[in-house]
Coordinates of all heavy atoms in Angstrom, one line a residue:
F127 N -1.8 -8.8 -1.6 CA -3.0 -9.5 -1.1 C -4.3 -8.9 -1.6 O -5.4 -9.3 -1.1 CB -3.0 -9.4 0.5 CG -1.9 -10.3 1.1 CD1 -0.7 -9.7 1.5 CD2 -2.1 -11.7 1.2 CE1 0.3 -10.5 2.0 CE2 -1.1 -12.5 1.7 CZ 0.1 -11.9 2.1
V128 N -4.2 -7.9 -2.5 CA -5.5 -7.5 -3.1 C -6.1 -8.6 -3.9 O -5.4 -9.3 -4.6 CB -5.3 -6.2 -4.0 CG1 -4.7 -5.1 -3.2 CG2 -4.4 -6.5 -5.2
P129 N -7.4 -8.7 -4.0 CA -8.1 -9.8 -4.8 C -7.8 -9.6 -6.2 O -7.5 -10.6 -6.9 CB -9.5 -9.6 -4.4 CG -9.6 -8.9 -3.1 CD -8.4 -8.0 -3.1
N130 N -8.0 -8.4 -6.7 CA -7.8 -8.1 -8.2 C -6.5 -7.5 -8.4 O -6.2 -6.4 -8.2 CB -8.9 -7.2 -8.7 CG -8.9 -7.0 -10.2 OD1 -7.9 -6.9 -10.8 ND2 -10.1 -6.9 -10.7
H131 N -5.5 -8.4 -8.9 CA -4.1 -7.9 -9.1 C -4.0 -6.8 -10.0 O -3.3 -5.8 -9.8 CB -3.3 -9.1 -9.5 CG -3.1 -10.2 -8.5 ND1 -2.2 -11.2 -8.6 CD2 -3.7 -10.3 -7.3 CE1 -2.3 -11.9 -7.5 NE2 -3.2 -11.5 -6.7
Q132 N -4.7 -6.8 -11.2 CA -4.6 -5.8 -12.2 C -5.1 -4.5 -11.6 O -4.5 -3.4 -11.9 CB -5.3 -6.1 -13.4 CG -5.0 -5.2 -14.6 CD -3.5 -5.3 -15.0 OE1 -3.0 -6.3 -15.4 NE2 -2.8 -4.2 -14.8
A133 N -6.2 -4.5 -10.9 CA -6.7 -3.2 -10.3 C -5.7 -2.6 -9.3 O -5.5 -1.4 -9.3 CB -8.0 -3.5 -9.6
G134 N -5.0 -3.5 -8.5 CA -4.0 -3.0 -7.6 C -2.8 -2.4 -8.4 O -2.3 -1.3 -8.0
A135 N -2.4 -3.1 -9.4 CA -1.3 -2.6 -10.2 C -1.6 -1.3 -10.9 O -0.8 -0.3 -10.9 CB -0.9 -3.6 -11.2
N136 N -2.8 -1.2 -11.4 CA -3.2 0.0 -12.1 C -3.2 1.2 -11.2 O -2.8 2.4 -11.6 CB -4.6 -0.1 -12.7 CG -4.7 -1.1 -13.8 OD1 -3.7 -1.5 -14.4 ND2 -5.9 -1.5 -14.2
E137 N -3.5 1.0 -9.9 CA -3.5 2.1 -8.9 C -2.1 2.5 -8.6 O -1.8 3.7 -8.4 CB -4.4 1.7 -7.7 CG -5.8 1.8 -7.9 CD -6.4 3.2 -8.2 OE1 -6.7 3.9 -7.2 OE2 -6.4 3.6 -9.4
L138 N -1.2 1.6 -8.4 CA 0.2 1.9 -8.2 C 0.7 2.8 -9.3 O 1.4 3.8 -9.0 CB 1.0 0.6 -8.2 CG 0.8 -0.4 -7.1 CD1 1.6 -1.7 -7.3 CD2 1.0 0.1 -5.7
I139 N 0.4 2.5 -10.5 CA 0.9 3.2 -11.7 C 0.2 4.6 -11.7 O 0.9 5.7 -11.9 CB 0.6 2.5 -13.0 CG1 1.4 1.2 -13.0 CG2 0.9 3.4 -14.2 CD1 0.8 0.2 -14.1
R140 N -1.1 4.7 -11.4 CA -1.8 5.9 -11.6 C -1.3 7.0 -10.6 O -1.2 8.2 -11.0 CB -3.3 5.7 -11.3 CG -4.2 6.9 -11.4 CD -5.6 6.7 -11.0 NE -5.8 6.3 -9.6 CZ -5.8 7.2 -8.6 NH1 -5.7 8.5 -8.9 NH2 -6.0 6.8 -7.4
V141 N -1.0 6.6 -9.3 CA -0.7 7.7 -8.3 C 0.8 8.0 -8.3 O 1.2 8.9 -7.7 CB -1.1 7.2 -6.9 CG1 -2.7 7.0 -6.9 CG2 -0.4 6.0 -6.5
C142 N 1.6 7.3 -9.1 CA 3.0 7.6 -9.3 C 3.2 8.6 -10.3 O 2.6 8.6 -11.4 CB 3.8 6.3 -9.6 SG 5.6 6.5 -9.6
R143 N 4.1 9.6 -10.1 CA 4.3 10.6 -11.1 C 5.1 10.1 -12.3 O 5.9 9.1 -12.1 CB 5.1 11.8 -10.5 CG 6.5 11.5 -10.1 CD 7.3 12.7 -9.8 NE 8.7 12.4 -9.3 CZ 9.7 12.1 -10.1 NH1 9.6 11.9 -11.4 NH2 10.9 11.8 -9.5
P144 N 5.0 10.6 -13.4 CA 5.9 10.2 -14.6 C 7.3 10.4 -14.2 O 7.8 11.4 -13.6 CB 5.5 11.2 -15.6 CG 4.1 11.7 -15.3 CD 4.0 11.7 -13.8
G145 N 8.1 9.3 -14.4 CA 9.5 9.3 -14.0 C 9.7 8.8 -12.6 O 10.9 8.7 -12.2
G146 N 8.7 8.6 -11.9 CA 8.8 8.2 -10.5 C 9.0 6.7 -10.4 O 9.1 5.9 -11.4
T147 N 9.2 6.2 -9.1 CA 9.6 4.8 -8.9 C 8.4 4.0 -8.2 O 7.8 4.5 -7.4 CB 10.8 4.8 -7.9 OG1 11.9 5.5 -8.5 CG2 11.2 3.4 -7.6
I148 N 8.3 2.8 -8.7 CA 7.4 1.9 -8.2 C 8.2 0.7 -7.6 O 9.1 0.2 -8.3 CB 6.3 1.3 -9.2 CG1 5.4 2.5 -9.6 CG2 5.5 0.2 -8.6 CD1 4.5 2.1 -10.8
G149 N 8.0 0.4 -6.3 CA 8.8 -0.6 -5.7 C 8.0 -1.6 -5.0 O 7.1 -1.3 -4.2
L150 N 8.3 -2.9 -5.2 CA 7.4 -4.0 -4.6 C 8.3 -5.1 -4.0 O 9.3 -5.5 -4.6 CB 6.5 -4.6 -5.7 CG 5.6 -3.6 -6.4 CD1 5.0 -4.3 -7.7 CD2 4.5 -3.2 -5.5
L151 N 7.9 -5.5 -2.8 CA 8.6 -6.7 -2.2 C 7.5 -7.7 -1.9 O 6.5 -7.4 -1.1 CB 9.3 -6.3 -0.9 CG 10.3 -7.3 -0.3 CD1 11.4 -6.6 0.4 CD2 9.5 -8.3 0.6
S152 N 7.5 -8.9 -2.5 CA 6.4 -9.8 -2.4 C 7.0 -11.2 -2.2 O 8.0 -11.6 -2.7 CB 5.6 -9.8 -3.7 OG 5.2 -8.5 -4.0
W153 N 6.3 -12.1 -1.4 CA 6.6 -13.4 -1.2 C 6.5 -14.2 -2.5 O 5.5 -14.0 -3.2 CB 5.8 -14.1 -0.1 CG 5.8 -13.4 1.2 CD1 4.8 -12.9 1.9 CD2 7.0 -13.3 2.1 NE1 5.2 -12.4 3.1 CE2 6.6 -12.6 3.3 CE3 8.3 -13.7 1.9 CZ2 7.4 -12.3 4.3 CZ3 9.2 -13.3 3.0 CH2 8.7 -12.7 4.1
T154 N 7.4 -15.1 -2.8 CA 7.4 -15.9 -4.0 C 6.5 -17.1 -3.9 O 6.3 -17.6 -2.7 CB 8.7 -16.3 -4.5 OG1 9.3 -17.3 -3.5 CG2 9.7 -15.1 -4.6
P155 N 5.9 -17.6 -5.0 CA 5.1 -18.9 -4.9 C 6.0 -20.0 -4.4 O 5.4 -20.9 -3.6 CB 4.6 -19.1 -6.3 CG 4.7 -17.8 -7.0 CD 5.9 -17.1 -6.3
E156 N 7.2 -20.1 -4.8 CA 8.1 -21.2 -4.4 C 8.7 -21.1 -3.0 O 9.2 -22.1 -2.5 CB 9.2 -21.3 -5.5 CG 8.7 -21.6 -6.9 CD 8.4 -20.2 -7.6 OE1 8.6 -19.2 -7.0 OE2 7.9 -20.3 -8.7
G157 N 8.7 -19.9 -2.5 CA 9.3 -19.7 -1.1 C 8.4 -20.2 0.0 O 7.3 -20.7 -0.2
F158 N 8.9 -20.1 1.2 CA 8.2 -20.6 2.4 C 6.8 -20.1 2.5 O 5.8 -20.9 2.7 CB 9.0 -20.4 3.6 CG 8.3 -21.0 4.9 CD1 8.3 -22.3 5.2 CD2 7.5 -20.1 5.7 CE1 7.6 -22.8 6.2 CE2 6.9 -20.6 6.8 CZ 6.9 -22.0 7.1

Side-chain angles (χ1 to χ4, degrees):
F127 291 99
V128 300
N130 186 322
H131 291 190
Q132 192 62 64
N136 290 348
E137 284 295 271
L138 298 175
I139 295 163
R140 181 184 66 79
V141 301
C142 186
R143 68 164 175 81
T147 298
I148 295 172
L150 303 167
L151 192 154
S152 309
W153 301 119
T154 66
E156 301 83 5
F158 179 79

